[in-house]
Amino acid sequence: MKRIVILGGGTGGTLTANRLRRSFDERDAEIVVVDHDADHVYQPGLLFVPFGLTSMQRIVRPRRQQFRSGISFRQAGIGRVDTGADRVHLDDGTALDYDVLVVATGARLLPGETEGLTGPGWLKSVFTFYTPEGAVALHRALERFTGGRLVVNVVDMPIKCPVAPLEFCFLADYYFRRRGIRDRVELTYVTPLDGAFTKPVCNRELSGLLVDKGIELVTEFNTGTVEAGPAGAGTAGSAASGAPGGRLISYDERVVPFDLAVVIPLHGGAAYVERSPGLGDELGFIPVDPSTLQAKARPNVFAVGDATDVPTSKAGSVAHFEGDVLADNVRRFLAGQELLAGFDGHTNCFIETGFGKALLIDFNYGTEPLAGHYPARLGLPLLRQSRLNHLGKLAFQQFYWHSLLPGRDVPGISSAMPARGKTRPRAQAAAGARGHR
Amino acid sequence: MPAVTYAGHSVAVNEEGFLVDPAQWTEDMAPQIAKSAGIDELTARHWQVIRFMRAEYQAKGTGPTVRVLGKTSGVSIKELYQLFPKGPAKTAARIAGIPKPRGCI
């Protein structure tokens, strides 16, 4: 009897557990999932909470209910992993030995690493929508906001869902227009990158959208300090009293003033990774082979989803597309077979642009997001705003609970990025033909 | 691709001024690249960062980001910006003759 221990019961951990449960008879392998809490949050939903478009109640379900029968769930904090002894030490004093370990504990927000971010203004005039409590508090603050400078700031990469802060800007524009106060709100997007997005074709499209919607773009801004203004800035009262707002200050001493700041804090791996020698990199992410997902630490350790160091977005779609490669490789490893280098970096994101529309982007390690259709010529339009993509984004939540987490294979949706349906720029098509990345 | 002469050797650089082939780099090129980046004198602290960038690139195939530099080079992010005001990771990589660190995706 083998034991597979999966650390983390989020998107990657849950779908991996369910896929593995299907491929192993219960007499051959025991599957144990460990997580420190009992709630599974549908994280893409957090973007909509601040605008009152959904509520926490509608995006949280019990973790336990997402697992197939025959999977044990242990609710406990993780102390450390001893990869030399194939053992996980839990906070409750017990230990779990494993034959294969899958690290799926995602990314952790580190607001305390930015000077002033969690100071007196935290959750008063400085918010994040990346946590349930932050998203709920920001909803209340937006309802009170009657005008002023709203700044959306990404402190540094990597972050979960790198398009979400841009979507927040687009939805904020839409939200203030619907309230009839858009002319009283200055919206600014402040990023450490040298453009709205890293990939050239997509960057052009998204930068154009920022211009169209009157959102100012500040680039190459590395936030060193957040100085919060007094609570209640941006409300009718503060505008009347002329109360000073807060300021973002970069390491090279540039200043962006704000009345209300929405900050995406630094991200790192789970805390126990730092306490597990050899397991993670300097940020606590797990170095893995980018196509087999086997950890560099040990051959019987794998990682999936946001927890890895693979060079693509930290996004649920990546965990989804990694899932079948990972489950197959765990099975191969236990059978003593060679691993398959099957993961191509496939990533797929809906980008909500407001007004009931959304864009869709689809890319992998070697191909940047391109125009065309997904998953084939008659599919959803890529890199173009459409009502269909917005409906796709809304429908996705049902797909998430009922298809993605259970680890079902969906006809027409493959792990590898589809090339058909995409329009390649000439230079890239030529490079592809030569077999270069 | 443009070519530049550093320390008497002609080397190919890309449009942002990064050496195309890091193997062509020698330490005596650094002061001249630094001058072109607006840094008149390389101190021991600069060199600590430049040598660290080189070592990281050789070990991992990519130079570290500012955040990783601040955590691992022994020089704080604040000081890194004092040493390389126009962006430590980018400037130090250029002076160290390695490619621009991959921003994450």
Side-chain angles (χ1 to χ4, degrees), chain B residues 2-6 9-13 17 32:
Chain B
V4 184
T5 303
Y6 289 134
H9 296 276
S10 173
V11 292
V13 296
Q32 213 181 328

Side-chain angles (χ1 to χ4, degrees), chain A residues 245-262:
Chain A
R247 306 191 301 163
L248 303 178
I249 305 164
S250 69
Y251 281 109
D252 57 356
E253 290 166 2
R254 286 188 286 156
V255 172
V256 175
F258 65 82
D259 295 303
L260 197 154
V262 178

Side-chain angles (χ1 to χ4, degrees), chain A residues 258-315:
Chain A
F258 65 82
D259 295 303
L260 197 154
V262 178
V263 177
I264 292 80
L266 293 173
H267 284 38
Y272 72 87
V273 176
E274 287 166 17
R275 300 189 292 264
S276 308
L279 185 61
D281 65 14
E282 38 304 85
L283 301 181
F285 295 113
I286 314 296
V288 294
D289 179 301
S291 48
T292 65
L293 304 172
Q294 185 177 43
K296 294 184 177 156
R298 298 285 285 201
N300 64 336
V301 178
F302 293 79
V304 65
D306 296 350
T308 78
D309 74 335
V310 299
T312 187
S313 297
K314 296 198 179 298

